[in-house]
Amino acid sequence: MGRSDSAVYAMLLLLIITLVASPVESCPPSEWAALMAFKAALTEPNFGIFNSWRGTNCCYHWYGINCDPTTRRVADITLGGLTIADHNPHVTTNRTATGYMTGYISPSICKLKQLSTLTISEWKGISGNIPRCITTLSLLQFIDLSGNIISGKVPYNIGHLTQLTVLNLADNHISGRIPRTLVNLKNLMILDLRNNAMEGPIPPDFGKLKKLNRVFLSHNRITGPIPRSISSIYSLADIDLSLNRLSGSVHKSLGQMPVLDSLNLKYNNLTGKIPWTLLSSRISHLDLSRNMLSGDIADVFGERSYFINLDLSHNNLIGFIAKSMVSVFYIGHLDLSHNNLCGPIPRGAPFNHLQPPSFDNNRCLCGHPLKPCTHHHHTRIKL
């Protein structure tokens, strides 16, 4: 074979390799176009995070974009504005700061059919609605759109995303009800909808979310009762339903959940007695303050009790402080203020280190750290 033939052969081989490899090494043109449309709907003026989005291969050094190494399809969009590190080669800054971005999330992302992660969080200025077509991305496992000013409703068919493990829409302006289909997210582990304007009830069959570990629905306008089915979620460790408009009673089954560590129900309209099961459980953070709970504090505390925070303030509790509270292993913060409690404050740990604000504005509590008990206090107790 002559030198000219070798050169032709080499050129043909290179052309064949290029033709064969191109579809594999580059992302599909349709996905490149979808990302270009996505980028066009956003404006990020400070750090130039989109400066790396050049050329036609969106799988090669595009900031925040990751592709499946086998299919070269776009698998992850990860654009977090909370912090942008100064060592990141894709941004034109030498300092760490919070980001700011405006615009909206283009429906073009729905053309990325292999997408498993969608993070567009903490940009403060992204508005508009969540594209309804997002519910067609059946491989999505992680959605984080928190820390923006997104409005509108959670797409009704969100329950179609059965691979989803994390749904974080916190700190936005989202309104409307929690979609009934949400309970079909059988793999969901974290649900965070706090700090929005959501209303209506929690779906009664919320307990279908069997893999749920943490649920944050605080600071909304949610009404109705706490679904009893929530206590059937074995893996649930953290429940925050505070700063809503929930009504009804607190069911004793909440205190029988095997791994529940934190329960925050403050600032609601809950009534009835505090279940004794909550006070004898292994919950370490229990906040039932600023409700309309009544009755006495059940005398069921024991050596297994370990409260980092126990707040029962601003209710209508009556009777004595439970004497068994002196036997608890630990209470870090205790607040029983603004109730109708009476009688002497028990002596011993944990009461020895507490200050008057923990007991203020009760009917007739006395003893350290308040004023000593007198005949006047005993008279009021009898009344």
Side-chain angles (χ1 to χ4, degrees), residues 134-140 143 157-165 167 184-187:
I134 200 174
T135 61
T136 65
L137 299 177
S138 60
L139 299 183
L140 270 176
I143 297 177
N157 290 326
I158 193 73
H160 290 175
L161 302 178
T162 55
Q163 300 301 312
L164 205 62
T165 60
L167 177 59
N184 296 328
L185 299 176
K186 59 184 180 181
N187 288 300

Side-chain angles (χ1 to χ4, degrees), residues 65-79:
I65 303 298
N66 285 309
C67 296
D68 184 286
T70 303
T71 64
R72 308 305 293 175
R73 304 285 294 275
V74 175
D76 306 310
I77 298 178
T78 308
L79 300 173

Side-chain angles (χ1 to χ4, degrees), residues 300-338:
V300 293
F301 296 88
E303 294 180 355
R304 295 192 312 167
S305 301
Y306 186 98
F307 289 101
I308 296 174
N309 176 49
L310 175 59
D311 194 339
L312 308 180
S313 65
H314 293 269
N315 280 290
N316 300 313
L317 302 177
I318 60 173
F320 297 92
I321 296 177
K323 291 181 179 180
S324 60
M325 289 183 76
V326 299
S327 66
V328 302
F329 183 82
Y330 176 78
I331 297 183
H333 173 76
L334 173 67
D335 194 345
L336 302 176
S337 65
H338 296 271

